[in-house]
Amino acid sequence: MNPIINEIPVSYILGLAGILFSIGVLGVLIRRNIVIIFMSVELILNSVNLVFVTFSKALSHISGETVVFFVMAIAAAEAAVGLALVIAIFRHKKSTNVDELQSMRW
Amino acid sequence: MLEIFPLVVFFPLVGFLFNALLKGRIPHRMAGAIGTLAVFIPFLITLGAFNEFRPMERTAPHLVPVFDWIVIGNFKSSFGFQIDQLSLYMTLIITGIGSLIHLYSMGYMKSNLSYNRFFAYLNLFIFCMLNLVLSDNLILTFLGWEGVGLSSYLLIGFDYDKNSAAEAGMKAFVLNRIGDVGFILGTGFLFWFGGSLQYLELQSNLSGLTQFAPYANIVALFFFIAAMGKSAQIPLYVWLPDAMAGPTPVSALIHAATMVTAGIFLIARLNFVFLLAPETSFFIACIGATTALFAATIGTLQNDIKKILAYSTVSQLGFMFLAMGSMSYVAGLFHLMTHAFFKALLFLGAGSVIHALHHEQNIKHMGGLFGKIKITSFTFLLGTFAIAGFFPFSGFFSKDLILEKTYTFGAYGSILWTMGIVAAFFTSFYMFRLVFVVFFGKNNTDPHHKIHESPWTMTFPLVVLAFGAVVVGFLQTPHFFLHIDTLERYFAPIFSKGYELASQHGSLAEHKSLVHDVELSLAAFSVAIGTVGLILAYFLYQRRQNPVLEEHTGFRKILFHKYYVDEIYDAVLVRPFLFVSKGIAFFFDTKILDRFFLNIGLSFGIIANGLRRLQSGFIGDYALYVVIGTFCILVYLLTRGV
């Protein structure tokens, strides 16, 4: 394990995770391209993963890292299904702009 | 027979259910036969029970508890029957005359399309009426009381496609409800004082209660108001003449022989209350005498054969209340029975005439029927002699007993007696007017119709009832003639406790003793009065052939229009009431209530319309809601301090 990482304070890493999380949320809220939104969601998930790992290390407890594996697996599954849907929608609408996908409201 | 006595009530119920549930699926003949048997078998059972009970020897009633009905705290009401002299007497009248009228209906209603429905209603009526008279407590009596009111309503409005019939049914129903308020209030008061609703317990509880006597007048008055409605006394009598819109057997059974006498029965049953209430009793006697006279005068100028008999019923019920009010309960009950016979006979005879003339009810279009329909005319004549009080027909004995008891009753007895005797004169007059116009006078019938005697199902009851109307008077005769007092001895156990109680409280009515000569002259006078009525009717409608007029002048106009009582009620009560009701319906209902509840509904619509805008279809919006929601939860958790 690289000793430099041990010297970084926990609060720095949490700050980074917060910044990543906020960027992800903002991306989900303001971007219109569905692929970008997907990437922002991945960013959110990864920021959470980072928090888990950090605490796992700081507390010398394995459970945080275990959860990270679950999150990764679910993220992969979600990406697979989500991208398939995106492709299907794109074939149908010829567009990836979410504002144009509003035909299912009341 | 006493063990299986509840079957008496059970059979009519089964008959009702059978005819009501299989209304369209059984042939007329079968429905009629089942309906009749459902009343005739109870009659036989009652006869058996009557013998077994030995009413002349036994003094205590036989109680038959069936099941507990309502049990709340110390309030208990059971479904049970009290078999004693009074209830057996009533049951014999109801089932005996009832089965004759059922038999008659099988002939009379033959061509009616709703034949099965008619028999279902009749059996329902008998069931309720039996509950009324056999019950051992006030609650079950009230159930029967309301039940007969319902059956009466259903049967008056039997031809519901005729507006007049439907309206008459409604009128009867509403006027009876006014009386029933009295019943409920009286029941409540009795429970308050006596702590029970069972007649026997009430009787023993009240006799030990000294503070009840001052309130007895009020309680008795409440129950008399109930009786006023059911037994068509002034001022609640107006429904009975209109009730003639129902089929004729109904008029005979319900509106002459049984249900309308429920008021008399109630007073007899609650004699231990009424005997403690001398003021109310005097009031009852006054109302009875007034009703007897009032209705008898109206009867003199009516043209509808059934209306004449209806006013006659009101008048005769007045006689019964006159007896009850002068605390001579035996006389009232005696007249109840004789009246049941001769009035049922007269109604059925009138029905037979109507049947013969193809539903003609106006006596203007009748005449000269004697000899053409022999059995009907002859039995009708016997009934007329009975109701007019001719010696030795049954009406003579019962009416004379009432008049004699009234004459000796208290300070104002002679005034009441005078009213009674004048009413008796009018009774004789209008009944013989009817007889002369319908059976003897000029023939005014429609010549196109062939007049035919009714089938045996109709004439047989007439003959039996005529026989009864002639002979039942011999159960109780005055001193100068045979001196039989069967009925008085028969009813002694019912009233003895009440009389005892009343004499303790000093509220027992004073009946002056009567010298036998006076009694004889009273009877002779009333027969003479009846004869005068007969002669007057003969002179006016047979010798001078006075026509039956459709319109009159002067005082006769007032009589012909029944003193305008219906019009007065309409103007004084009905119209203002409708006016107020409509005002309430418009202002309170539409302006306040409707507005309030409609606006509640409307406000939910507005809220929903606002919320609908949140569902835009943009993914970004939904994501924003999720973020805001998460943010709110976070803020909440942080401020609460996890």
PDB file of all heavy atoms in Angstrom, chain B residues 207-229:
ATOM      1  N   SER B 207     -98.929  -1.469  41.482  1.00  0.00           N
ATOM      2  CA  SER B 207     -99.900  -1.489  42.568  1.00  0.00           C
ATOM      3  C   SER B 207     -99.229  -1.166  43.902  1.00  0.00           C
ATOM      4  O   SER B 207     -99.873  -0.660  44.808  1.00  0.00           O
ATOM      5  CB  SER B 207    -100.603  -2.840  42.633  1.00  0.00           C
ATOM      6  OG  SER B 207     -99.642  -3.850  42.774  1.00  0.00           O
ATOM      7  N   GLY B 208     -97.911  -1.436  44.004  1.00  0.00           N
ATOM      8  CA  GLY B 208     -97.212  -1.095  45.239  1.00  0.00           C
ATOM      9  C   GLY B 208     -96.687   0.325  45.241  1.00  0.00           C
ATOM     10  O   GLY B 208     -96.012   0.743  46.170  1.00  0.00           O
ATOM     11  N   LEU B 209     -96.990   1.075  44.192  1.00  0.00           N
ATOM     12  CA  LEU B 209     -96.360   2.379  43.999  1.00  0.00           C
ATOM     13  C   LEU B 209     -97.384   3.487  44.255  1.00  0.00           C
ATOM     14  O   LEU B 209     -98.301   3.684  43.470  1.00  0.00           O
ATOM     15  CB  LEU B 209     -95.843   2.451  42.557  1.00  0.00           C
ATOM     16  CG  LEU B 209     -94.580   3.236  42.292  1.00  0.00           C
ATOM     17  CD1 LEU B 209     -93.399   2.586  43.000  1.00  0.00           C
ATOM     18  CD2 LEU B 209     -94.316   3.261  40.803  1.00  0.00           C
ATOM     19  N   THR B 210     -97.226   4.225  45.344  1.00  0.00           N
ATOM     20  CA  THR B 210     -98.248   5.235  45.634  1.00  0.00           C
ATOM     21  C   THR B 210     -98.060   6.478  44.787  1.00  0.00           C
ATOM     22  O   THR B 210     -99.014   7.166  44.468  1.00  0.00           O
ATOM     23  CB  THR B 210     -98.195   5.636  47.113  1.00  0.00           C
ATOM     24  OG1 THR B 210     -96.833   5.797  47.471  1.00  0.00           O
ATOM     25  CG2 THR B 210     -98.863   4.614  47.992  1.00  0.00           C
ATOM     26  N   GLN B 211     -96.770   6.774  44.396  1.00  0.00           N
ATOM     27  CA  GLN B 211     -96.557   8.032  43.672  1.00  0.00           C
ATOM     28  C   GLN B 211     -96.936   7.937  42.195  1.00  0.00           C
ATOM     29  O   GLN B 211     -96.822   8.903  41.466  1.00  0.00           O
ATOM     30  CB  GLN B 211     -95.106   8.515  43.811  1.00  0.00           C
ATOM     31  CG  GLN B 211     -94.081   7.674  43.106  1.00  0.00           C
ATOM     32  CD  GLN B 211     -93.475   6.663  44.065  1.00  0.00           C
ATOM     33  OE1 GLN B 211     -94.139   6.152  44.958  1.00  0.00           O
ATOM     34  NE2 GLN B 211     -92.213   6.360  43.901  1.00  0.00           N
ATOM     35  N   PHE B 212     -97.397   6.745  41.768  1.00  0.00           N
ATOM     36  CA  PHE B 212     -97.749   6.631  40.358  1.00  0.00           C
ATOM     37  C   PHE B 212     -99.096   7.282  40.066  1.00  0.00           C
ATOM     38  O   PHE B 212     -99.285   7.898  39.015  1.00  0.00           O
ATOM     39  CB  PHE B 212     -97.783   5.165  39.930  1.00  0.00           C
ATOM     40  CG  PHE B 212     -98.269   4.970  38.522  1.00  0.00           C
ATOM     41  CD1 PHE B 212     -97.526   5.441  37.454  1.00  0.00           C
ATOM     42  CD2 PHE B 212     -99.473   4.342  38.268  1.00  0.00           C
ATOM     43  CE1 PHE B 212     -97.963   5.285  36.157  1.00  0.00           C
ATOM     44  CE2 PHE B 212     -99.931   4.182  36.972  1.00  0.00           C
ATOM     45  CZ  PHE B 212     -99.176   4.658  35.923  1.00  0.00           C
ATOM     46  N   ALA B 213    -100.025   7.160  41.020  1.00  0.00           N
ATOM     47  CA  ALA B 213    -101.405   7.592  40.777  1.00  0.00           C
ATOM     48  C   ALA B 213    -101.531   9.003  40.180  1.00  0.00           C
ATOM     49  O   ALA B 213    -102.296   9.189  39.233  1.00  0.00           O
ATOM     50  CB  ALA B 213    -102.223   7.470  42.055  1.00  0.00           C
ATOM     51  N   PRO B 214    -100.766  10.005  40.671  1.00  0.00           N
ATOM     52  CA  PRO B 214    -100.931  11.334  40.069  1.00  0.00           C
ATOM     53  C   PRO B 214    -100.525  11.379  38.604  1.00  0.00           C
ATOM     54  O   PRO B 214    -101.025  12.213  37.851  1.00  0.00           O
ATOM     55  CB  PRO B 214     -99.987  12.206  40.903  1.00  0.00           C
ATOM     56  CG  PRO B 214     -99.735  11.453  42.143  1.00  0.00           C
ATOM     57  CD  PRO B 214     -99.838  10.022  41.791  1.00  0.00           C
ATOM     58  N   TYR B 215     -99.591  10.488  38.218  1.00  0.00           N
ATOM     59  CA  TYR B 215     -99.118  10.521  36.837  1.00  0.00           C
ATOM     60  C   TYR B 215     -99.946   9.634  35.919  1.00  0.00           C
ATOM     61  O   TYR B 215     -99.769   9.656  34.711  1.00  0.00           O
ATOM     62  CB  TYR B 215     -97.649  10.106  36.761  1.00  0.00           C
ATOM     63  CG  TYR B 215     -96.737  11.024  37.523  1.00  0.00           C
ATOM     64  CD1 TYR B 215     -96.282  10.704  38.788  1.00  0.00           C
ATOM     65  CD2 TYR B 215     -96.335  12.249  36.967  1.00  0.00           C
ATOM     66  CE1 TYR B 215     -95.468  11.561  39.495  1.00  0.00           C
ATOM     67  CE2 TYR B 215     -95.521  13.111  37.667  1.00  0.00           C
ATOM     68  CZ  TYR B 215     -95.083  12.763  38.928  1.00  0.00           C
ATOM     69  OH  TYR B 215     -94.282  13.612  39.618  1.00  0.00           O
ATOM     70  N   ALA B 216    -100.830   8.828  36.528  1.00  0.00           N
ATOM     71  CA  ALA B 216    -101.595   7.875  35.723  1.00  0.00           C
ATOM     72  C   ALA B 216    -102.374   8.576  34.626  1.00  0.00           C
ATOM     73  O   ALA B 216    -102.484   8.074  33.506  1.00  0.00           O
ATOM     74  CB  ALA B 216    -102.537   7.094  36.626  1.00  0.00           C
ATOM     75  N   ASN B 217    -102.894   9.774  34.935  1.00  0.00           N
ATOM     76  CA  ASN B 217    -103.663  10.515  33.934  1.00  0.00           C
ATOM     77  C   ASN B 217    -102.841  10.807  32.694  1.00  0.00           C
ATOM     78  O   ASN B 217    -103.320  10.678  31.574  1.00  0.00           O
ATOM     79  CB  ASN B 217    -104.166  11.828  34.533  1.00  0.00           C
ATOM     80  CG  ASN B 217    -105.471  11.625  35.255  1.00  0.00           C
ATOM     81  OD1 ASN B 217    -106.397  11.056  34.693  1.00  0.00           O
ATOM     82  ND2 ASN B 217    -105.530  12.046  36.497  1.00  0.00           N
ATOM     83  N   ILE B 218    -101.570  11.198  32.920  1.00  0.00           N
ATOM     84  CA  ILE B 218    -100.724  11.563  31.776  1.00  0.00           C
ATOM     85  C   ILE B 218    -100.427  10.321  30.940  1.00  0.00           C
ATOM     86  O   ILE B 218    -100.562  10.324  29.720  1.00  0.00           O
ATOM     87  CB  ILE B 218     -99.408  12.202  32.278  1.00  0.00           C
ATOM     88  CG1 ILE B 218     -99.740  13.433  33.117  1.00  0.00           C
ATOM     89  CG2 ILE B 218     -98.527  12.567  31.115  1.00  0.00           C
ATOM     90  CD1 ILE B 218     -98.577  13.984  33.873  1.00  0.00           C
ATOM     91  N   VAL B 219    -100.015   9.250  31.625  1.00  0.00           N
ATOM     92  CA  VAL B 219     -99.681   8.021  30.902  1.00  0.00           C
ATOM     93  C   VAL B 219    -100.897   7.519  30.124  1.00  0.00           C
ATOM     94  O   VAL B 219    -100.816   7.170  28.946  1.00  0.00           O
ATOM     95  CB  VAL B 219     -99.184   6.940  31.890  1.00  0.00           C
ATOM     96  CG1 VAL B 219     -98.917   5.653  31.157  1.00  0.00           C
ATOM     97  CG2 VAL B 219     -97.947   7.418  32.602  1.00  0.00           C
ATOM     98  N   ALA B 220    -102.053   7.537  30.803  1.00  0.00           N
ATOM     99  CA  ALA B 220    -103.272   7.073  30.149  1.00  0.00           C
ATOM    100  C   ALA B 220    -103.587   7.933  28.941  1.00  0.00           C
ATOM    101  O   ALA B 220    -104.001   7.426  27.887  1.00  0.00           O
ATOM    102  CB  ALA B 220    -104.433   7.109  31.137  1.00  0.00           C
ATOM    103  N   LEU B 221    -103.335   9.228  29.060  1.00  0.00           N
ATOM    104  CA  LEU B 221    -103.614  10.124  27.943  1.00  0.00           C
ATOM    105  C   LEU B 221    -102.732   9.790  26.749  1.00  0.00           C
ATOM    106  O   LEU B 221    -103.199   9.751  25.603  1.00  0.00           O
ATOM    107  CB  LEU B 221    -103.380  11.577  28.385  1.00  0.00           C
ATOM    108  CG  LEU B 221    -103.859  12.640  27.390  1.00  0.00           C
ATOM    109  CD1 LEU B 221    -105.365  12.559  27.249  1.00  0.00           C
ATOM    110  CD2 LEU B 221    -103.455  14.016  27.859  1.00  0.00           C
ATOM    111  N   PHE B 222    -101.456   9.499  27.014  1.00  0.00           N
ATOM    112  CA  PHE B 222    -100.558   9.128  25.912  1.00  0.00           C
ATOM    113  C   PHE B 222    -101.082   7.899  25.184  1.00  0.00           C
ATOM    114  O   PHE B 222    -101.125   7.855  23.952  1.00  0.00           O
ATOM    115  CB  PHE B 222     -99.144   8.867  26.431  1.00  0.00           C
ATOM    116  CG  PHE B 222     -98.373  10.125  26.713  1.00  0.00           C
ATOM    117  CD1 PHE B 222     -97.591  10.241  27.845  1.00  0.00           C
ATOM    118  CD2 PHE B 222     -98.425  11.181  25.828  1.00  0.00           C
ATOM    119  CE1 PHE B 222     -96.880  11.397  28.108  1.00  0.00           C
ATOM    120  CE2 PHE B 222     -97.725  12.337  26.071  1.00  0.00           C
ATOM    121  CZ  PHE B 222     -96.956  12.449  27.216  1.00  0.00           C
ATOM    122  N   PHE B 223    -101.468   6.897  25.971  1.00  0.00           N
ATOM    123  CA  PHE B 223    -101.951   5.686  25.316  1.00  0.00           C
ATOM    124  C   PHE B 223    -103.278   5.941  24.604  1.00  0.00           C
ATOM    125  O   PHE B 223    -103.555   5.338  23.564  1.00  0.00           O
ATOM    126  CB  PHE B 223    -102.092   4.546  26.331  1.00  0.00           C
ATOM    127  CG  PHE B 223    -100.794   3.899  26.638  1.00  0.00           C
ATOM    128  CD1 PHE B 223    -100.190   4.071  27.865  1.00  0.00           C
ATOM    129  CD2 PHE B 223    -100.151   3.123  25.685  1.00  0.00           C
ATOM    130  CE1 PHE B 223     -98.967   3.491  28.142  1.00  0.00           C
ATOM    131  CE2 PHE B 223     -98.928   2.541  25.956  1.00  0.00           C
ATOM    132  CZ  PHE B 223     -98.338   2.729  27.191  1.00  0.00           C
ATOM    133  N   PHE B 224    -104.074   6.869  25.126  1.00  0.00           N
ATOM    134  CA  PHE B 224    -105.321   7.158  24.434  1.00  0.00           C
ATOM    135  C   PHE B 224    -105.051   7.859  23.109  1.00  0.00           C
ATOM    136  O   PHE B 224    -105.767   7.640  22.123  1.00  0.00           O
ATOM    137  CB  PHE B 224    -106.238   8.004  25.318  1.00  0.00           C
ATOM    138  CG  PHE B 224    -107.511   8.390  24.621  1.00  0.00           C
ATOM    139  CD1 PHE B 224    -108.348   7.404  24.102  1.00  0.00           C
ATOM    140  CD2 PHE B 224    -107.880   9.706  24.453  1.00  0.00           C
ATOM    141  CE1 PHE B 224    -109.512   7.737  23.445  1.00  0.00           C
ATOM    142  CE2 PHE B 224    -109.045  10.042  23.797  1.00  0.00           C
ATOM    143  CZ  PHE B 224    -109.857   9.054  23.290  1.00  0.00           C
ATOM    144  N   ILE B 225    -103.992   8.686  23.058  1.00  0.00           N
ATOM    145  CA  ILE B 225    -103.655   9.335  21.785  1.00  0.00           C
ATOM    146  C   ILE B 225    -103.315   8.266  20.743  1.00  0.00           C
ATOM    147  O   ILE B 225    -103.738   8.337  19.586  1.00  0.00           O
ATOM    148  CB  ILE B 225    -102.482  10.322  21.980  1.00  0.00           C
ATOM    149  CG1 ILE B 225    -102.958  11.513  22.780  1.00  0.00           C
ATOM    150  CG2 ILE B 225    -101.932  10.768  20.650  1.00  0.00           C
ATOM    151  CD1 ILE B 225    -101.865  12.433  23.249  1.00  0.00           C
ATOM    152  N   ALA B 226    -102.559   7.253  21.193  1.00  0.00           N
ATOM    153  CA  ALA B 226    -102.260   6.141  20.283  1.00  0.00           C
ATOM    154  C   ALA B 226    -103.553   5.483  19.815  1.00  0.00           C
ATOM    155  O   ALA B 226    -103.731   5.199  18.628  1.00  0.00           O
ATOM    156  CB  ALA B 226    -101.374   5.123  20.989  1.00  0.00           C
ATOM    157  N   ALA B 227    -104.482   5.263  20.755  1.00  0.00           N
ATOM    158  CA  ALA B 227    -105.740   4.621  20.409  1.00  0.00           C
ATOM    159  C   ALA B 227    -106.562   5.489  19.464  1.00  0.00           C
ATOM    160  O   ALA B 227    -107.226   4.983  18.554  1.00  0.00           O
ATOM    161  CB  ALA B 227    -106.532   4.323  21.675  1.00  0.00           C
ATOM    162  N   MET B 228    -106.493   6.806  19.655  1.00  0.00           N
ATOM    163  CA  MET B 228    -107.190   7.739  18.762  1.00  0.00           C
ATOM    164  C   MET B 228    -106.789   7.533  17.311  1.00  0.00           C
ATOM    165  O   MET B 228    -107.629   7.520  16.419  1.00  0.00           O
ATOM    166  CB  MET B 228    -106.789   9.177  19.111  1.00  0.00           C
ATOM    167  CG  MET B 228    -107.668   9.910  20.030  1.00  0.00           C
ATOM    168  SD  MET B 228    -106.924  11.560  20.143  1.00  0.00           S
ATOM    169  CE  MET B 228    -107.758  12.163  21.567  1.00  0.00           C
ATOM    170  N   GLY B 229    -105.486   7.384  17.104  1.00  0.00           N
ATOM    171  CA  GLY B 229    -105.016   7.203  15.732  1.00  0.00           C
ATOM    172  C   GLY B 229    -105.491   5.879  15.170  1.00  0.00           C
ATOM    173  O   GLY B 229    -106.100   5.819  14.108  1.00  0.00           O
TER     174      GLY B 229
END
